Amino acid sequence: MTEPIIRTIDLVKRFGTQTVLDGVNLEIMPGETMVVMGGSGCGKSTFLRHLIGSLTPTSGRVELFGSDLASLDEDGMDDVRKRFGILFQSGALFNSMTIAENVALPLHEHTVLDPNIIDIQVKIKLELVGLREHASKYPSQISGGMKKRAGLARALSLDPRILFYDEPSAGLDPVTSAEIDQLMLDLTRKLGVTSVVVTHEMDSAFTIADRMCMLDKGKVLMVGTRDEFDHLRSISEKEAESLDDTRKLIRQFLRGDPEGPITQRRIETSYAEDLLGTGPPRVVKSPALEPTRKT
Ligand SMILES: Nc1ncnc2c1ncn2[C@@H]1O[C@H](COP(=O)(O)OP(=O)(O)O)[C@@H](O)[C@H]1O
Ligand SMILES: [Mg+2]
């Protein structure tokens, strides 16, 4: 039987008194694209940062390639780091370097390859993301979508087995965002990498996922295939009445419906906070939304 390439076991993370991850168990298999979804602030980026070893769990475990990250020394962790690539929200390119130099950087840092070989490697990566003819441009000279592509080429520079993406389509227009989705699909097919993608963009999630995982309040509400989530999303209003509360909540999230258990919970929470005086200061409604008395 194939072993998971990534596994979290009872992963808990607290920041002070706030529990952000509350016992997350998830297995990701080699070659699959797992999309992790959930509302803003539910802990998606925190979860991802545990997978790459940049945060340590309060309790529980993270395993990559079969090793418990906590058991690795600095060298061991470096070896693991070379086997995954990361594309973070900002793309995080160095503005003083050309696109080619940005992509070459990890190769200079982590390998002893001859500069000519590095040049060839860089060209191959830039070709993969469709940027070969822009190699000598600086980040300020290219569009947001191209920056994401360049970030992706850099994430690919060491031929990783796993790619981590945090909100890859954030800040992009719908067409560019759809292009990035296609590129991610294309790369998965060509390179056979395992991908973990954090997003709250449902169109993107349903385009790229093999399996999906829904996080809420630090817990996994549901893990399933894309078809299972798609089925839940397309259940009619009438059929949805017989779903349990969790499924109702997931369905609202997937559909982006303006009304449902998520909205209800928000209203109740802010009411409770209001009563206890623990919530944020009440937002003064804009006058345009107040009923105007016509006299
Ligand atoms: N380093 C940190 N220190 C304290 N709180 C944090 C830290 N990182 C994240 N948080 C809190 O954890 C919660 C989840 O954040 P995050 O994982 O960024 O959510 P998401 O990516 O789902 O929007 C938020 O309430 C955030 O304020
Ligand atoms: Mg985030």
Side-chain angles (χ1 to χ4, degrees), residues 155-166:
L156 289 170
S157 61
L158 297 172
D159 295 317
R161 299 313 305 146
I162 308 175
L163 278 173
F164 294 106
Y165 302 84
D166 195 350

Side-chain angles (χ1 to χ4, degrees), residues 34-108:
M34 173 68 84
V35 171
V36 179
M37 308 173 290
S40 308
C42 78
K44 302 182 296 296
S45 296
T46 302
F47 180 65
L48 209 57
R49 293 178 64 200
H50 280 85
L51 301 188
I52 63 173
S54 78
L55 284 175
T56 31
T58 304
S59 66
R61 278 215 312 270
V62 178
E63 293 177 2
L64 248 66
F65 309 106
S67 310
D68 178 355
L69 294 188
S71 73
L72 299 173
D73 59 11
E74 217 22 65
D75 285 348
M77 195 58 219
D78 272 348
D79 281 340
V80 168
R81 268 194 212 105
K82 283 181 211 160
R83 294 156 76 189
F84 62 72
I86 312 166
L87 183 66
F88 272 171
Q89 236 148 340
S90 53
L93 299 170
F94 291 103
N95 288 321
S96 60
M97 294 182 179
T98 65
I99 302 311
E101 286 165 353
N102 265 286
V103 177
L105 194 63
L107 291 162
H108 286 297

Side-chain angles (χ1 to χ4, degrees), residues 202-203 206 229-235 251 254-255:
M202 287 304 106
D203 285 347
F206 278 101
F229 275 89
D230 197 28
H231 174 71
L232 183 56
R233 176 170 69 157
S234 43
I235 284 176
R251 177 175 172 274
L254 297 173
R255 297 165 64 90

Side-chain angles (χ1 to χ4, degrees), residues 22 78 96 106 135 137 151 161 180 183 188 195 218 234 237 242 265 274 281 286 289 294:
D22 195 7
D78 272 348
S96 60
K137 289 191 178 154
R161 299 313 305 146
I180 297 290
L183 179 60
T188 308
S195 302
S234 43
E237 208 60 43
S242 58
R265 190 173 70 182
D274 193 18
S286 111
L289 294 175
K294 287 190 188 116

Side-chain angles (χ1 to χ4, degrees), residues 10 32 46 54 56 66 79 92 98 106 120 126 163 176 185 196 228:
D10 299 330
E32 75 173 341
T46 302
S54 78
T56 31
D79 281 340
T98 65
I120 294 170
L126 287 175
L163 278 173
T176 310
L185 279 175
V196 183
E228 284 163 348

